[in-house]
mmCIF file with all atom_site columns, all heavy atoms in Angstrom:
data_model
loop_
_atom_site.group_PDB
_atom_site.id
_atom_site.type_symbol
_atom_site.label_atom_id
_atom_site.label_alt_id
_atom_site.label_comp_id
_atom_site.label_asym_id
_atom_site.label_entity_id
_atom_site.label_seq_id
_atom_site.pdbx_PDB_ins_code
_atom_site.Cartn_x
_atom_site.Cartn_y
_atom_site.Cartn_z
_atom_site.occupancy
_atom_site.B_iso_or_equiv
_atom_site.pdbx_formal_charge
_atom_site.auth_seq_id
_atom_site.auth_comp_id
_atom_site.auth_asym_id
_atom_site.auth_atom_id
_atom_site.pdbx_PDB_model_num
ATOM 1  N N   . ASP A 1 230 ? 8.432  -32.004 8.836  1.00 0.00 ? 244 ASP A N   1
ATOM 2  C CA  . ASP A 1 230 ? 9.865  -32.559 8.858  1.00 0.00 ? 244 ASP A CA  1
ATOM 3  C C   . ASP A 1 230 ? 10.319 -32.829 10.330 1.00 0.00 ? 244 ASP A C   1
ATOM 4  O O   . ASP A 1 230 ? 10.348 -31.845 11.081 1.00 0.00 ? 244 ASP A O   1
ATOM 5  C CB  . ASP A 1 230 ? 10.721 -31.530 8.189  1.00 0.00 ? 244 ASP A CB  1
ATOM 6  C CG  . ASP A 1 230 ? 12.203 -31.916 8.374  1.00 0.00 ? 244 ASP A CG  1
ATOM 7  O OD1 . ASP A 1 230 ? 12.511 -33.011 8.626  1.00 0.00 ? 244 ASP A OD1 1
ATOM 8  O OD2 . ASP A 1 230 ? 13.057 -31.008 8.193  1.00 0.00 ? 244 ASP A OD2 1
ATOM 9  N N   . LYS A 1 299 ? 19.808 12.766  29.333 1.00 0.00 ? 313 LYS A N   1
ATOM 10 C CA  . LYS A 1 299 ? 21.305 12.970  29.342 1.00 0.00 ? 313 LYS A CA  1
ATOM 11 C C   . LYS A 1 299 ? 21.727 13.653  28.020 1.00 0.00 ? 313 LYS A C   1
ATOM 12 O O   . LYS A 1 299 ? 22.955 13.989  27.930 1.00 0.00 ? 313 LYS A O   1
ATOM 13 C CB  . LYS A 1 299 ? 21.966 11.581  29.452 1.00 0.00 ? 313 LYS A CB  1
ATOM 14 C CG  . LYS A 1 299 ? 21.700 10.838  30.680 1.00 0.00 ? 313 LYS A CG  1
ATOM 15 C CD  . LYS A 1 299 ? 22.599 9.684   30.884 1.00 0.00 ? 313 LYS A CD  1
ATOM 16 C CE  . LYS A 1 299 ? 22.198 8.776   32.083 1.00 0.00 ? 313 LYS A CE  1
ATOM 17 N NZ  . LYS A 1 299 ? 22.563 7.398   31.948 1.00 0.00 ? 313 LYS A NZ  1
ATOM 18 N N   . MET A 1 351 ? 17.124 -24.693 26.220 1.00 0.00 ? 365 MET A N   1
ATOM 19 C CA  . MET A 1 351 ? 16.494 -25.968 25.925 1.00 0.00 ? 365 MET A CA  1
ATOM 20 C C   . MET A 1 351 ? 17.379 -27.035 25.285 1.00 0.00 ? 365 MET A C   1
ATOM 21 O O   . MET A 1 351 ? 16.971 -28.133 25.049 1.00 0.00 ? 365 MET A O   1
ATOM 22 C CB  . MET A 1 351 ? 15.346 -25.710 24.873 1.00 0.00 ? 365 MET A CB  1
ATOM 23 C CG  . MET A 1 351 ? 14.337 -24.664 25.328 1.00 0.00 ? 365 MET A CG  1
ATOM 24 S SD  . MET A 1 351 ? 13.461 -25.187 26.826 1.00 0.00 ? 365 MET A SD  1
ATOM 25 C CE  . MET A 1 351 ? 12.363 -26.439 26.230 1.00 0.00 ? 365 MET A CE  1
ATOM 26 N N   . LEU A 1 419 ? 9.591  -16.783 26.910 1.00 0.00 ? 433 LEU A N   1
ATOM 27 C CA  . LEU A 1 419 ? 9.341  -15.961 25.721 1.00 0.00 ? 433 LEU A CA  1
ATOM 28 C C   . LEU A 1 419 ? 7.796  -15.941 25.399 1.00 0.00 ? 433 LEU A C   1
ATOM 29 O O   . LEU A 1 419 ? 7.414  -15.824 24.228 1.00 0.00 ? 433 LEU A O   1
ATOM 30 C CB  . LEU A 1 419 ? 10.102 -16.460 24.511 1.00 0.00 ? 433 LEU A CB  1
ATOM 31 C CG  . LEU A 1 419 ? 11.580 -16.720 24.544 1.00 0.00 ? 433 LEU A CG  1
ATOM 32 C CD1 . LEU A 1 419 ? 12.202 -16.964 23.214 1.00 0.00 ? 433 LEU A CD1 1
ATOM 33 C CD2 . LEU A 1 419 ? 12.334 -15.626 25.324 1.00 0.00 ? 433 LEU A CD2 1
#
Side-chain angles (χ1 to χ4, degrees):
Chain A
D244 171 19
K313 298 188 187 155
M365 303 298 286
L433 315 189

